[in-house]
Amino acid sequence: MQAQAALAEVLGSYLRQHGVAPEPALLRQLLQEAPVLELLHWLDATALRLAPPLAAALASTPPPAPSATAEAQTATVPSQAGQTQVESITLGKNAPAGPASAPGVAADALFVAPATTAPTTTALRWRFANATAGTPYRAQATPVSDPQRPQLQYRLMAVDGLQGSGLRFDAADGVLSGVPSTATATGEEMHFAARFVPVDAAGGAPVHAGVASLLVNPDPRALWKQREPDAALGLRKPHTATAHAQIAGAQVVAASVRGRSHANAASFREDDFAIATDRDARWLVCAVADGAGSAPLSRRGSELLTRHAVTALAAHMDGIECWTHGQGLQWQQHAEVLPRVQPRLTQAVCASLVSASQALVQHATLLGVDESALAATLMLTAVRPCGEQLLVLNYWIGDGAAAAYDAATGQVQLLGHADAGEYSGQTRFFLSDALAGDPQAAVQARLRCVWLPAGAKVILMSDGVSDPKFGTERALQDPAQWQHWWQTDIAPQLHVEQGSARCLDALVDYLGFWCPGEHDDRTLLMIQTERVE
């Protein structure tokens, strides 16, 4: 690293003489060029080769007499006899205490990758286990044999050139540890100059040059890029959406984010959601949709379906509230009210879905495309708090998950079944064929109408969340899986009951979780109801 800092200073001085301002970024770039790296490697190798003779010469040379302008410092150096002795070295007050750095460049801020050419078979060598940039790393070096004399064992005592790598080698326990910096992820195995001593050697034993090899893989998260869709594309939508709504006894928070795969491909977010209430704020009506990846305009389909469905159903709930009031029905009388009102609730959901389907077909005609170009899944939910219980309606077609979860008891109830295909990503979508034949019968087959205890949570999530967090239909039905997800992922960081902007920001942050192989859009909608004491 001293050679690198000195070379940076020489380069900076030379450039300034020729009228070039040596910015730190320029110096870093020059230091990474092949001829410079070869020179640095040669300097390192030369220093290792000459270090013992230089140390011996220093030990045999009497120290100069201190002057009035000098300060005495002590340094420990090995003598020719291999014993350790203390010599007095003088430095003038105006002399630098160490190698100077290039202007604006810290000596330990630059990492210069060592040689990537494999060492000769006769060299002492230790190969560390592979590391990943940005991930905590710890590896133990164990004794190695001399290739020419296998009976001799050596231990690694020093690794040179680690400055700026985020790693350090502890000679006492032979451990390389730290967090590898991004600069170390060169894509090739690096061979650092290293020093070895015999395993059973006493102090002052001869030092043998060798190499320590390490391959650092790039952080997979850094490989994903944030790219903007083509500016010429229409039907644009934001990459992130959040919303919050509240009625007496319940509130909802929701967030939807563009997945890494879509961001990397410069495409739009295809998930969407919508929230509405009836006129008197007795019902929360919510929808979540996941646009089909194979449908070129699914981003528009998911948006249209969710908004149209919740608006239509909220309007129908106004009519149902008027009807129940006219009939003298009390929602708190659960056993009496549901048998009488359930047929009307089913009709309301069916009418809303038929209206949404017609709107989708009309919009496809307007755009001059087939309806399938707008394909999306759909979960449509309506919740009404009723004293000690709440009434929940849910229609579900496609993948993802819709469930009622009670954190107090750990009980979970799926509000339908996911439509899984023969391969990942294959599912059903809400198109006109979903209502073919008898629309009311088709809707009723997928509709759930249940009473739940007040305090339960109704959760809708697209498969961008359900797949990495649950994975299988069996896991979705397992209360222990839901309890684990809630206690580890949601409860510690998301205070849904607050319904604040901070909660929505935390929800967006949460949806950025890392899961290898799972990079789809992610949408999570949670309805929190108040428990009656």
Side-chain angles (χ1 to χ4, degrees):
M1 197 63 189
Q2 293 178 355
Q4 176 186 329
L7 188 55
E9 184 177 16
V10 171
L11 286 171
S13 176
Y14 184 81
L15 291 173
R16 282 191 294 272
Q17 291 176 8
H18 289 76
V20 178
E23 295 293 333
L26 175 61
L27 288 176
R28 282 194 291 269
Q29 180 180 351
L30 293 174
L31 288 172
Q32 293 294 325
E33 293 187 359
V36 180
L37 291 177
E38 290 178 5
L39 175 60
L40 287 170
H41 296 155
W42 178 83
L43 289 172
D44 286 339
T46 302
L48 279 175
R49 187 175 70 254
L50 299 180
L54 288 175
L58 179 62
S60 61
T61 302
S67 66
T69 59
E71 293 180 346
Q73 296 187 3
T74 60
T76 303
V77 295
S79 68
Q80 283 182 313
Q83 301 300 316
T84 299
Q85 63 183 37
V86 176
E87 291 288 350
S88 176
I89 305 173
T90 60
L91 290 176
K93 284 188 176 181
N94 297 325
S101 300
V105 180
D108 59 351
L110 299 175
F111 172 72
V112 178
T116 55
T117 303
T120 63
T121 56
T122 58
L124 289 172
R125 180 185 185 187
W126 172 257
R127 177 183 277 115
F128 285 102
N130 292 355
T132 300
T135 300
Y137 178 80
R138 189 179 191 277
Q140 175 82 50
T142 57
V144 297
S145 299
D146 186 333
Q148 296 178 325
R149 292 174 292 176
Q151 71 276 14
L152 298 180
Q153 295 281 302
Y154 295 85
R155 67 177 178 86
L156 184 61
M157 65 163 291
V159 179
D160 299 326
L162 293 176
Q163 294 89 339
S165 69
L167 298 168
R168 64 180 297 272
F169 181 74
D170 189 334
D173 56 11
V175 169
L176 181 69
S177 61
V179 179
S181 65
T182 303
T184 62
T186 63
E188 298 182 90
E189 189 174 49
M190 300 176 290
H191 307 293
F192 295 89
R195 283 162 282 170
F196 295 80
V197 294
V199 170
D200 300 325
V207 176
H208 298 262
V211 294
S213 301
L214 174 67
L215 172 64
V216 180
N217 294 309
D219 182 352
R221 307 182 197 201
L223 301 178
W224 295 94
K225 307 301 181 184
Q226 291 288 333
R227 296 187 171 97
E228 290 300 314
D230 190 332
L233 293 175
L235 303 177
R236 307 183 74 82
K237 68 194 302 184
H239 301 325
T240 301
T242 61
H244 164 253
Q246 186 169 6
I247 62 173
Q251 62 179 306
V252 58
V253 292
S256 180
V257 301
R258 183 172 68 155
R260 291 184 181 88
S261 59
H262 290 179
N264 198 62
S267 59
F268 292 99
R269 173 173 57 94
E270 294 171 349
D271 278 11
D272 222 316
F273 71 89
I275 301 171
T277 67
D278 64 315
R279 182 178 53 213
D280 295 327
R282 303 291 181 88
W283 290 85
L284 270 178
V285 183
C286 309
V288 167
D290 177 3
S294 58
L297 299 178
S298 64
R299 63 184 182 277
R300 179 59 175 158
S302 61
E303 180 182 20
L304 187 149
L305 281 178
T306 53
R307 282 151 181 72
H308 195 100
V310 300
T311 301
L313 186 54
H316 282 293
M317 292 309 182
D318 286 333
I320 289 178
E321 287 292 326
C322 290
W323 180 83
T324 55
H325 180 74
Q327 296 293 312
L329 297 176
Q330 299 295 320
W331 287 98
Q332 287 78 5
Q333 297 173 354
H334 313 118
E336 178 185 348
V337 71
L338 187 57
R340 297 187 61 183
V341 78
Q342 187 167 356
R344 291 182 176 273
L345 292 173
T346 302
Q347 291 172 4
V349 174
C350 181
S352 301
L353 292 174
V354 168
S355 177
S357 177
Q358 292 172 346
L360 193 72
V361 172
Q362 292 170 3
H363 197 70
T365 302
L366 180 65
L367 296 175
V369 298
D370 187 79
E371 176 194 10
S372 61
L374 302 168
T377 66
L378 180 63
M379 289 177 278
L380 177 62
T381 298
V383 173
R384 191 193 195 284
C386 305
E388 296 180 351
Q389 291 190 294
L390 61 143
L391 182 60
V392 178
L393 295 171
N394 188 73
Y395 172 87
W396 177 5
I397 183 170
D399 49 20
Y405 173 67
D406 192 334
T409 64
Q411 294 182 339
V412 64
Q413 180 177 351
L414 290 185
L415 301 175
H417 295 284
D419 293 299
E422 297 179 358
Y423 54 87
S424 177
Q426 185 181 23
T427 187
R428 286 206 62 185
F429 301 103
F430 184 79
L431 298 171
S432 54
D433 62 356
L435 303 177
D438 184 348
Q440 185 155 327
V443 169
Q444 196 161 6
R446 293 179 174 273
L447 184 64
R448 300 293 183 272
C449 182
V450 297
W451 286 108
L452 296 173
K457 310 170 198 310
V458 178
I459 301 169
L460 308 181
M461 58 179 71
S462 66
D463 65 341
V465 179
S466 63
D467 282 359
K469 293 302 178 180
F470 295 92
T472 65
E473 182 75 16
R474 176 174 294 183
L476 280 174
Q477 296 173 349
D478 185 357
Q481 295 282 346
W482 282 90
Q483 186 175 36
H484 175 77
W485 174 73
W486 185 266
Q487 292 179 349
T488 59
D489 284 36
I490 305 301
Q493 52 190 325
L494 298 179
H495 301 288
V496 179
E497 64 278 1
Q498 295 179 359
S500 62
R502 180 181 297 180
C503 175
L504 294 176
D505 290 342
L507 187 55
V508 170
D509 290 342
Y510 166 71
L511 292 176
F513 63 80
W514 175 260
C515 183
E518 300 287 353
H519 307 294
D520 200 1
D521 293 344
R522 293 170 179 167
T523 300
L524 181 59
L525 183 148
M526 297 183 289
I527 301 173
Q528 171 71 57
T529 61
E530 296 177 4
R531 192 174 301 277
V532 177
E533 301 297 339

